[in-house]
Amino acid sequence: MRIAILGMGYTGMSVAQQLISKGYEVVGIARRMAPLVVFRERLGERFLPIQGDTRNQATLKDALEGASRVIHLAPPPRDRPVDDDAVQVGLCLGKNCERLVYGSTTGVYSPPVDPDEWVDEDSPVVPGGRLGQMRAVYERELLNVSPAPTHIVRIAGIYGPGRHLITRLEAGKLELFEGGSRVSRIHRDDLARILVAMTIDASPPTKLIACDEEPTPTLDVVRYAASLTNLKLPTVHPSASVRSTETPSLKEFRTSGKPCRSLYREQLIGELHYPTYREGMDAALREDGYLSTK
């Protein structure tokens, strides 16, 4: 079976590794060729790199032709209507496509009024910010136009090897604030397990939240990581403080955290390899050489 990954990048690499290990052929589609060459070197001949994106309908249609399943991980465009982009993807799906899995975001949910309340798959889709609104529109249009059954994975904050806050902490570019809401996260490799199962399982749920089991304020995660690496924390600002240089998207990310849980994940893949940020951060820092592997 051939499976295509649209938006081949950080998460797509882990997804492709897992699919290839199960015997699937993977087509990886990305805007730039340079990372695709690296992926090809790492993944071998069962990985087929194709340079392209949703802007080039002919290239995208050729890339998706023959794929029985498609995993769509590309972010929505910011320079043209997101609904047009979703329609483009739907039109490019091949006649043999049996399933589309779309990687969305938990940003389509608003933070609960009650801080002790959880967000799950049955929570209403009410985006609180612009980025969440874009994703909600994209989801809706894909469901309307896709000729194949479409399954939505709403993803919490992704972290893992090469993508954690320690590099910014080392460079002195990390701003921290007291308090803060509980934020859900997911280790890249657990996310990849979820995406693979949503793609190849016989009867996956139509929607699923990808998150770990312990939503935690960002400051607590950074303090934990700093304790492992003996790095000094920068000044911690009062929670009400917002720097004039903060972008709207960064402010939205900082203030819109929410505690998420999944009603269906355990049935789909069982236990997470990294159920909390502790296991995940330990593994990521170890893989990146910050901690001893002994």
Side-chain angles (χ1 to χ4, degrees):
M1 179 189 293
R2 174 178 288 190
I3 297 174
I5 301 175
L6 174 57
M8 181 74 189
Y10 180 73
T11 299
M13 173 66 182
S14 185
V15 173
Q17 283 179 319
Q18 295 184 30
L19 287 171
I20 289 171
S21 72
K22 296 178 183 293
Y24 295 97
E25 183 180 71
V26 175
V27 176
I29 307 156
R31 288 184 179 181
R32 297 188 301 114
M33 196 65 198
L36 290 172
V37 172
V38 175
F39 295 151
R40 171 74 175 191
E41 292 173 351
R42 294 180 181 177
L43 296 170
E45 62 183 13
R46 296 190 68 82
F47 176 73
L48 307 176
I50 296 180
Q51 184 177 9
D53 60 19
T54 55
R55 298 168 187 271
N56 190 322
Q57 186 172 8
T59 301
L60 183 59
K61 193 164 188 175
D62 288 344
L64 299 182
E65 188 66 34
S68 300
R69 311 284 166 89
V70 175
I71 304 171
H72 183 1
L73 301 178
R78 300 195 183 191
D79 58 351
R80 66 188 192 280
V82 295
D83 48 351
D84 290 352
D85 194 86
V87 169
Q88 183 93 312
V89 172
L91 292 174
C92 289
L93 293 177
K95 60 181 182 297
N96 296 322
C97 183
E98 301 168 353
R99 184 181 303 168
L100 171 64
V101 176
Y102 177 55
S104 184
T105 171
T106 55
V108 301
Y109 302 110
S110 290
V113 176
D114 183 347
D116 294 325
E117 184 180 348
W118 290 88
V119 171
D120 59 35
E121 289 90 351
D122 290 340
S123 299
V125 172
V126 184
R130 184 178 64 88
L131 299 180
Q133 292 168 0
M134 292 170 62
R135 289 286 191 166
V137 170
Y138 206 103
E139 284 185 15
R140 185 177 65 245
E141 290 304 316
L142 271 185
L143 290 168
N144 287 337
V145 303
S146 172
T150 299
H151 299 254
I152 307 295
V153 180
R154 292 170 179 151
I155 304 169
I158 305 169
Y159 74 101
R163 184 180 288 188
H164 44 70
L165 297 173
I166 289 299
T167 51
R168 290 174 59 196
L169 185 60
E170 284 184 311
K173 296 181 179 180
L174 185 63
E175 286 190 290
L176 297 174
F177 298 84
E178 286 287 359
S181 55
R182 293 186 294 160
V183 178
S184 288
R185 297 167 182 82
I186 185 73
H187 190 284
R188 178 200 62 185
D189 295 343
D190 276 330
L191 171 57
R193 292 174 59 213
I194 291 170
L195 290 167
V196 167
M198 291 288 284
T199 304
I200 67 176
D201 193 76
S203 55
T206 57
K207 57 185 177 181
L208 185 140
I209 291 178
C211 62
D212 67 13
E213 296 174 357
E214 190 176 322
T216 307
T218 297
L219 180 58
D220 292 355
V221 177
V222 176
R223 280 175 170 157
Y224 178 76
S227 72
L228 295 177
T229 56
N230 295 318
L231 289 173
K232 183 180 179 180
L233 287 179
T235 301
V236 178
H237 302 286
S239 59
S241 173
V242 179
R243 296 181 66 89
S244 60
T245 56
E246 186 175 47
T247 64
S249 60
L250 181 58
K251 181 180 178 181
E252 179 180 338
F253 174 79
R254 181 177 61 81
T255 60
S256 63
K258 56 190 73 68
C260 298
R261 64 183 176 187
S262 176
L263 304 175
Y264 310 115
R265 185 265 306 160
E266 188 169 0
Q267 182 178 352
L268 182 70
I269 66 165
E271 295 183 357
L272 295 173
H273 291 165
Y274 309 102
T276 78
Y277 68 90
R278 297 178 192 86
E279 298 88 354
M281 190 63 73
D282 286 357
L285 293 175
R286 211 170 295 280
E287 187 168 337
D288 285 344
Y290 287 94
L291 304 178
S292 170
T293 56
K294 295 180 181 181

Short mmCIF file of all heavy atoms in Angstrom, two decimals, residues 165-166 169 174-180 185 216-238 277-278 281-282 285:
data_model
loop_
_atom_site.label_atom_id
_atom_site.label_comp_id
_atom_site.label_asym_id
_atom_site.label_seq_id
_atom_site.Cartn_x
_atom_site.Cartn_y
_atom_site.Cartn_z
N LEU A 165 12.38 23.59 24.53
CA LEU A 165 12.67 24.97 24.91
C LEU A 165 14.10 25.20 25.36
O LEU A 165 14.50 26.33 25.59
CB LEU A 165 11.70 25.39 26.03
CG LEU A 165 10.21 25.41 25.63
CD1 LEU A 165 9.35 25.68 26.87
CD2 LEU A 165 9.95 26.46 24.57
N ILE A 166 14.88 24.12 25.46
CA ILE A 166 16.23 24.27 25.99
C ILE A 166 17.12 25.09 25.07
O ILE A 166 17.93 25.91 25.52
CB ILE A 166 16.86 22.88 26.25
CG1 ILE A 166 16.18 22.24 27.47
CG2 ILE A 166 18.35 22.99 26.51
CD1 ILE A 166 16.33 23.03 28.76
N LEU A 169 16.39 28.57 25.72
CA LEU A 169 16.88 28.91 27.05
C LEU A 169 18.38 29.17 27.01
O LEU A 169 18.88 30.14 27.60
CB LEU A 169 16.54 27.78 28.02
CG LEU A 169 16.88 28.01 29.50
CD1 LEU A 169 16.12 29.21 30.04
CD2 LEU A 169 16.53 26.76 30.31
N LEU A 174 14.26 32.98 25.67
CA LEU A 174 13.03 32.41 26.23
C LEU A 174 12.46 33.35 27.28
O LEU A 174 13.12 33.66 28.28
CB LEU A 174 13.31 31.05 26.84
CG LEU A 174 12.10 30.28 27.37
CD1 LEU A 174 11.13 29.96 26.23
CD2 LEU A 174 12.54 28.99 28.06
N GLU A 175 11.23 33.82 27.04
CA GLU A 175 10.54 34.65 28.02
C GLU A 175 9.58 33.78 28.82
O GLU A 175 8.80 33.01 28.24
CB GLU A 175 9.78 35.78 27.32
CG GLU A 175 10.67 36.88 26.79
CD GLU A 175 9.85 38.06 26.33
OE1 GLU A 175 9.16 37.94 25.31
OE2 GLU A 175 9.89 39.10 27.01
N LEU A 176 9.62 33.93 30.12
CA LEU A 176 8.79 33.10 31.00
C LEU A 176 7.88 33.99 31.83
O LEU A 176 8.23 35.11 32.20
CB LEU A 176 9.68 32.26 31.92
CG LEU A 176 10.59 31.25 31.22
CD1 LEU A 176 11.51 30.59 32.22
CD2 LEU A 176 9.75 30.20 30.49
N PHE A 177 6.68 33.46 32.12
CA PHE A 177 5.68 34.20 32.88
C PHE A 177 5.18 33.35 34.03
O PHE A 177 5.01 32.13 33.89
CB PHE A 177 4.51 34.58 31.96
CG PHE A 177 4.89 35.49 30.82
CD1 PHE A 177 5.41 34.97 29.64
CD2 PHE A 177 4.75 36.86 30.93
CE1 PHE A 177 5.78 35.80 28.60
CE2 PHE A 177 5.11 37.70 29.89
CZ PHE A 177 5.63 37.17 28.73
N GLU A 178 4.95 33.98 35.16
CA GLU A 178 4.41 33.27 36.32
C GLU A 178 3.01 32.74 36.01
O GLU A 178 2.28 33.32 35.21
CB GLU A 178 4.33 34.21 37.53
CG GLU A 178 5.67 34.52 38.17
CD GLU A 178 6.25 33.35 38.96
OE1 GLU A 178 5.58 32.30 39.02
OE2 GLU A 178 7.36 33.50 39.47
N GLY A 179 2.68 31.68 36.69
CA GLY A 179 1.32 31.12 36.54
C GLY A 179 1.12 30.55 35.16
O GLY A 179 1.94 29.82 34.64
N GLY A 180 0.03 30.92 34.57
CA GLY A 180 -0.29 30.39 33.25
C GLY A 180 -1.21 29.19 33.35
O GLY A 180 -1.23 28.46 34.34
N ARG A 185 0.39 18.82 25.76
CA ARG A 185 1.48 18.58 24.82
C ARG A 185 1.39 17.15 24.30
O ARG A 185 0.64 16.33 24.82
CB ARG A 185 2.85 18.78 25.52
CG ARG A 185 3.07 20.17 26.01
CD ARG A 185 4.27 20.27 26.96
NE ARG A 185 4.41 21.64 27.45
CZ ARG A 185 3.71 22.14 28.45
NH1 ARG A 185 2.83 21.38 29.09
NH2 ARG A 185 3.86 23.40 28.81
N THR A 216 0.31 20.87 31.72
CA THR A 216 1.14 21.55 32.71
C THR A 216 1.52 22.94 32.24
O THR A 216 1.80 23.13 31.05
CB THR A 216 2.44 20.74 32.95
OG1 THR A 216 2.10 19.39 33.27
CG2 THR A 216 3.28 21.34 34.06
N PRO A 217 1.54 23.94 33.12
CA PRO A 217 2.00 25.27 32.72
C PRO A 217 3.42 25.22 32.15
O PRO A 217 4.26 24.44 32.62
CB PRO A 217 1.96 26.08 34.01
CG PRO A 217 0.91 25.39 34.85
CD PRO A 217 1.05 23.93 34.53
N THR A 218 3.69 26.04 31.16
CA THR A 218 4.98 26.05 30.49
C THR A 218 6.13 26.29 31.46
O THR A 218 7.20 25.67 31.36
CB THR A 218 5.00 27.13 29.39
OG1 THR A 218 4.01 26.80 28.42
CG2 THR A 218 6.36 27.21 28.72
N LEU A 219 5.92 27.18 32.43
CA LEU A 219 6.99 27.49 33.38
C LEU A 219 7.44 26.24 34.14
O LEU A 219 8.64 26.03 34.36
CB LEU A 219 6.52 28.57 34.36
CG LEU A 219 7.54 29.01 35.42
CD1 LEU A 219 8.81 29.53 34.77
CD2 LEU A 219 6.92 30.08 36.32
N ASP A 220 6.50 25.38 34.52
CA ASP A 220 6.85 24.16 35.24
C ASP A 220 7.69 23.23 34.37
O ASP A 220 8.62 22.58 34.85
CB ASP A 220 5.59 23.43 35.70
CG ASP A 220 4.83 24.19 36.77
OD1 ASP A 220 5.33 25.24 37.23
OD2 ASP A 220 3.72 23.76 37.14
N VAL A 221 7.36 23.15 33.08
CA VAL A 221 8.12 22.29 32.16
C VAL A 221 9.54 22.82 32.00
O VAL A 221 10.51 22.05 32.02
CB VAL A 221 7.40 22.20 30.80
CG1 VAL A 221 8.22 21.37 29.82
CG2 VAL A 221 6.01 21.61 30.95
N VAL A 222 9.67 24.13 31.84
CA VAL A 222 11.00 24.72 31.67
C VAL A 222 11.83 24.54 32.94
O VAL A 222 13.03 24.23 32.87
CB VAL A 222 10.89 26.20 31.29
CG1 VAL A 222 12.27 26.84 31.21
CG2 VAL A 222 10.17 26.36 29.96
N ARG A 223 11.22 24.72 34.08
CA ARG A 223 11.95 24.52 35.33
C ARG A 223 12.45 23.08 35.44
O ARG A 223 13.58 22.83 35.88
CB ARG A 223 11.05 24.86 36.52
CG ARG A 223 10.95 26.36 36.79
CD ARG A 223 9.95 26.68 37.88
NE ARG A 223 10.04 28.08 38.29
CZ ARG A 223 9.06 28.75 38.88
NH1 ARG A 223 7.88 28.14 39.13
NH2 ARG A 223 9.22 30.01 39.22
N TYR A 224 11.63 22.15 35.03
CA TYR A 224 12.05 20.74 35.08
C TYR A 224 13.22 20.50 34.13
O TYR A 224 14.22 19.88 34.51
CB TYR A 224 10.87 19.84 34.70
CG TYR A 224 11.24 18.37 34.68
CD1 TYR A 224 11.40 17.66 35.86
CD2 TYR A 224 11.42 17.71 33.47
CE1 TYR A 224 11.74 16.32 35.84
CE2 TYR A 224 11.77 16.37 33.45
CZ TYR A 224 11.93 15.68 34.63
OH TYR A 224 12.28 14.35 34.61
N ALA A 225 13.11 20.99 32.91
CA ALA A 225 14.18 20.80 31.93
C ALA A 225 15.48 21.48 32.39
O ALA A 225 16.57 20.94 32.22
CB ALA A 225 13.75 21.34 30.57
N ALA A 226 15.34 22.66 32.96
CA ALA A 226 16.53 23.38 33.45
C ALA A 226 17.19 22.62 34.59
O ALA A 226 18.43 22.59 34.70
CB ALA A 226 16.14 24.78 33.89
N SER A 227 16.40 21.97 35.43
CA SER A 227 16.97 21.20 36.54
C SER A 227 17.76 20.00 36.02
O SER A 227 18.74 19.58 36.64
CB SER A 227 15.86 20.73 37.48
OG SER A 227 15.07 19.70 36.89
N LEU A 228 17.35 19.45 34.89
CA LEU A 228 18.06 18.30 34.30
C LEU A 228 19.37 18.72 33.67
O LEU A 228 20.35 17.96 33.66
CB LEU A 228 17.19 17.62 33.24
CG LEU A 228 15.89 16.96 33.70
CD1 LEU A 228 15.14 16.39 32.49
CD2 LEU A 228 16.17 15.85 34.71
N THR A 229 19.40 19.94 33.13
CA THR A 229 20.57 20.39 32.35
C THR A 229 21.43 21.40 33.10
O THR A 229 22.45 21.86 32.56
CB THR A 229 20.09 21.03 31.03
OG1 THR A 229 19.16 22.08 31.33
CG2 THR A 229 19.40 20.00 30.16
N ASN A 230 21.02 21.77 34.32
CA ASN A 230 21.77 22.74 35.13
C ASN A 230 21.86 24.11 34.46
O ASN A 230 22.84 24.84 34.65
CB ASN A 230 23.18 22.22 35.45
CG ASN A 230 23.15 20.99 36.33
OD1 ASN A 230 22.38 20.91 37.29
ND2 ASN A 230 23.98 20.01 35.99
N LEU A 231 20.85 24.45 33.68
CA LEU A 231 20.80 25.77 33.07
C LEU A 231 20.06 26.74 33.99
O LEU A 231 19.11 26.35 34.69
CB LEU A 231 20.10 25.70 31.71
CG LEU A 231 20.87 25.00 30.59
CD1 LEU A 231 19.98 24.87 29.35
CD2 LEU A 231 22.14 25.77 30.25
N LYS A 232 20.47 27.99 33.96
CA LYS A 232 19.85 29.01 34.79
C LYS A 232 18.62 29.58 34.10
O LYS A 232 18.65 29.88 32.91
CB LYS A 232 20.85 30.13 35.08
CG LYS A 232 20.32 31.21 36.01
CD LYS A 232 21.38 32.28 36.25
CE LYS A 232 20.84 33.38 37.16
NZ LYS A 232 21.86 34.44 37.40
N LEU A 233 17.56 29.74 34.87
CA LEU A 233 16.35 30.34 34.32
C LEU A 233 16.51 31.85 34.16
O LEU A 233 17.15 32.49 34.99
CB LEU A 233 15.15 30.07 35.23
CG LEU A 233 14.57 28.66 35.26
CD1 LEU A 233 13.40 28.62 36.24
CD2 LEU A 233 14.11 28.22 33.89
N PRO A 234 15.92 32.43 33.13
CA PRO A 234 15.92 33.89 33.01
C PRO A 234 14.90 34.48 33.97
O PRO A 234 14.21 33.75 34.70
CB PRO A 234 15.48 34.11 31.56
CG PRO A 234 14.62 32.92 31.24
CD PRO A 234 15.25 31.77 32.00
N THR A 235 14.78 35.78 33.97
CA THR A 235 13.79 36.46 34.80
C THR A 235 12.38 35.97 34.44
O THR A 235 12.03 35.84 33.27
CB THR A 235 13.85 37.98 34.59
OG1 THR A 235 15.17 38.43 34.94
CG2 THR A 235 12.83 38.70 35.44
N VAL A 236 11.60 35.69 35.47
CA VAL A 236 10.22 35.25 35.26
C VAL A 236 9.31 36.46 35.44
O VAL A 236 9.28 37.08 36.51
CB VAL A 236 9.84 34.12 36.23
CG1 VAL A 236 8.38 33.71 36.02
CG2 VAL A 236 10.77 32.92 36.05
N HIS A 237 8.55 36.81 34.40
CA HIS A 237 7.71 38.00 34.42
C HIS A 237 6.37 37.72 35.10
O HIS A 237 5.89 36.58 35.08
CB HIS A 237 7.45 38.49 32.99
CG HIS A 237 8.69 38.81 32.23
ND1 HIS A 237 9.45 39.94 32.47
CD2 HIS A 237 9.32 38.14 31.23
CE1 HIS A 237 10.49 39.95 31.65
NE2 HIS A 237 10.44 38.89 30.88
N PRO A 238 5.73 38.74 35.66
CA PRO A 238 4.37 38.57 36.17
C PRO A 238 3.44 38.12 35.05
O PRO A 238 3.65 38.46 33.88
CB PRO A 238 4.00 39.97 36.67
CG PRO A 238 5.30 40.65 36.90
CD PRO A 238 6.25 40.10 35.88
N TYR A 277 5.23 15.15 30.37
CA TYR A 277 6.39 15.88 29.86
C TYR A 277 7.69 15.37 30.46
O TYR A 277 8.76 15.53 29.87
CB TYR A 277 6.22 17.38 30.13
CG TYR A 277 6.29 17.76 31.59
CD1 TYR A 277 7.49 18.08 32.20
CD2 TYR A 277 5.13 17.81 32.38
CE1 TYR A 277 7.56 18.43 33.54
CE2 TYR A 277 5.19 18.16 33.71
CZ TYR A 277 6.40 18.47 34.29
OH TYR A 277 6.45 18.81 35.62
N ARG A 278 7.64 14.73 31.64
CA ARG A 278 8.87 14.27 32.28
C ARG A 278 9.55 13.18 31.45
O ARG A 278 10.74 13.28 31.12
CB ARG A 278 8.57 13.76 33.69
CG ARG A 278 8.02 14.82 34.63
CD ARG A 278 7.70 14.23 36.00
NE ARG A 278 6.92 15.17 36.79
CZ ARG A 278 5.59 15.28 36.72
NH1 ARG A 278 4.90 14.49 35.89
NH2 ARG A 278 4.94 16.16 37.46
N MET A 281 10.51 14.76 27.99
CA MET A 281 11.64 15.69 28.03
C MET A 281 12.94 14.94 28.31
O MET A 281 13.99 15.24 27.70
CB MET A 281 11.41 16.77 29.09
CG MET A 281 12.41 17.90 29.05
SD MET A 281 12.37 18.85 27.51
CE MET A 281 10.83 19.75 27.75
N ASP A 282 12.89 13.97 29.21
CA ASP A 282 14.08 13.16 29.48
C ASP A 282 14.59 12.52 28.19
O ASP A 282 15.78 12.58 27.88
CB ASP A 282 13.75 12.05 30.49
CG ASP A 282 13.59 12.57 31.90
OD1 ASP A 282 13.78 13.78 32.12
OD2 ASP A 282 13.28 11.76 32.80
N LEU A 285 15.95 15.23 25.57
CA LEU A 285 17.23 15.80 25.96
C LEU A 285 18.34 14.76 25.87
O LEU A 285 19.48 15.08 25.50
CB LEU A 285 17.15 16.37 27.37
CG LEU A 285 16.23 17.59 27.56
CD1 LEU A 285 16.15 17.98 29.02
CD2 LEU A 285 16.70 18.76 26.70
#
